[in-house]
Amino acid sequence: MSRNGGAAALAEHDAERMAMALYEARSNRVPIAPFTDACPTLDAAGGYAVQRRLTELLIADGERVIGYKAGLTSASMQEMFGVHAPDYGPVFASTVRADGASFARGEFISPKVEAEIVFRLARPLTGPGVTVEQAHAAIGEVIAGLEIVDSRITDWRIRLGDTIADLASNGAAVLGRSIPASAELDYRRVRMAFRRNGELVASGQGADALGDPVAVVALLANLLGESGVTLEAGQLIMTGALHAVVPLSPGDTYTAEFDHLGSVTLHVTNT
């Protein structure tokens, strides 16, 4: 997949127009039609061109990038949305909350929730060429995470270019307590049980994220490195869902329980 070729194919004024449409949809919480309806040639590279411009607009508003999220890293998620490759987007400081946080359903358009393993880097990673071993050595902390994904695209009718442009469908995140990274712990084998109001609704393990959540860190470092971006020490890396996403409903409580990492919970209010 040629990211540079797609970016060149998408005219600068089109990237600006799409970014502004997403910016307004995020502000107004009113979804828009998929870009790929009118522009079926919008590929991953074009989507990233839009994403970069949208990120610039949000930073100008005071947002701060504190890490990156990988999306569509599990087979179940790729099958659900009819795509065949992972994507990524920035994590903004304003969207991350602590364990037990409450969200109003009205903060989002069409939210869904997923459980995932989150890493915090202790040292920077600059791709391309980052190996899984190098990524493992750069991880300082491991965190149980819940991510709320939300789409500014009507009814989640996304193709890969749409969701990439839409910041990889980011919404918010809730993080549990951090624990030190361990060279002995195989994150592929970390099991997870996901519950809604105490009822088990999904399960998974670290290997459901691209075969190895640490491999997701290396992938992100290498993809971002193509654009001259370094993963910095202290940044969060969200490695992707370990199960098919679950709709976020008012009045519900969602908890993910991980081996070794502990649990993390979020609540949804009716307002």
Side-chain angles (χ1 to χ4, degrees):
M1 177 188 315
S2 172
R3 294 175 61 212
N4 293 333
L10 185 68
E12 184 175 343
H13 66 85
D14 287 329
E16 178 74 20
R17 172 179 54 80
M18 293 177 183
M20 284 302 303
L22 286 169
Y23 177 86
E24 292 173 1
R26 291 174 68 88
S27 299
N28 302 331
R29 299 188 182 93
V30 177
I32 59 176
F35 296 132
T36 51
D37 280 0
C39 183
T41 59
L42 181 69
D43 62 0
Y48 284 117
V50 178
Q51 183 189 114
R52 286 191 292 273
R53 180 60 186 130
L54 177 56
T55 300
E56 291 171 353
L57 292 170
L58 294 170
I59 289 174
D61 277 351
E63 279 287 10
R64 182 166 57 92
V65 175
I66 60 169
Y68 291 88
K69 59 156 290 185
L72 306 172
T73 55
S74 68
S76 59
M77 289 294 289
Q78 291 184 11
E79 181 178 352
M80 175 176 287
F81 293 111
V83 301
H84 307 288
D87 64 353
Y88 67 83
V91 174
F92 294 113
S94 69
T95 67
V96 178
R97 303 187 192 178
D99 185 21
S102 293
F103 295 86
R105 171 61 180 80
E107 295 180 49
F108 308 99
I109 295 174
S110 183
K112 305 175 188 294
V113 61
E114 60 191 43
E116 55 192 88
I117 294 172
V118 182
F119 296 121
R120 191 187 305 276
L121 297 183
R123 63 188 70 169
L125 287 170
T126 303
V130 173
T131 66
V132 173
E133 292 74 21
Q134 290 170 330
H136 206 298
I139 294 168
E141 297 175 344
V142 192
I143 310 166
L146 289 170
E147 182 181 5
I148 298 174
V149 291
D150 196 21
S151 182
R152 275 56 63 171
I153 306 299
T154 300
D155 298 329
W156 283 91
R157 291 192 294 112
I158 55 171
R159 296 180 185 174
L160 188 59
D162 297 305
T163 186
I164 288 173
D166 191 20
L167 305 177
S169 302
N170 75 351
V174 177
L175 303 183
R177 66 182 180 90
S178 300
I179 66 169
S182 169
E184 287 72 40
L185 181 57
D186 185 347
Y187 299 111
R188 297 172 297 181
R189 299 181 182 276
V190 172
R191 294 176 298 176
M192 182 280 305
F194 181 77
R195 302 180 188 277
R196 178 177 55 210
N197 301 326
E199 179 183 356
L200 181 67
V201 293
S203 61
Q205 61 180 354
D208 291 320
L210 211 64
D212 181 350
V214 180
V216 176
V217 178
L219 174 70
L220 282 173
N222 291 328
L223 289 175
L224 286 161
E226 293 177 10
S227 301
V229 177
T230 291
L231 294 180
E232 301 290 354
Q235 287 188 328
L236 296 171
I237 306 298
M238 305 190 67
T239 60
L242 304 181
H243 59 96
V245 289
V246 175
L248 198 75
S249 300
D252 285 349
T253 294
Y254 301 85
T255 299
E257 301 166 341
F258 291 79
D259 290 346
H260 308 289
L261 310 184
S263 64
V264 58
T265 296
L266 69 82
H267 311 280
V268 188
T269 66
N270 293 313
T271 56

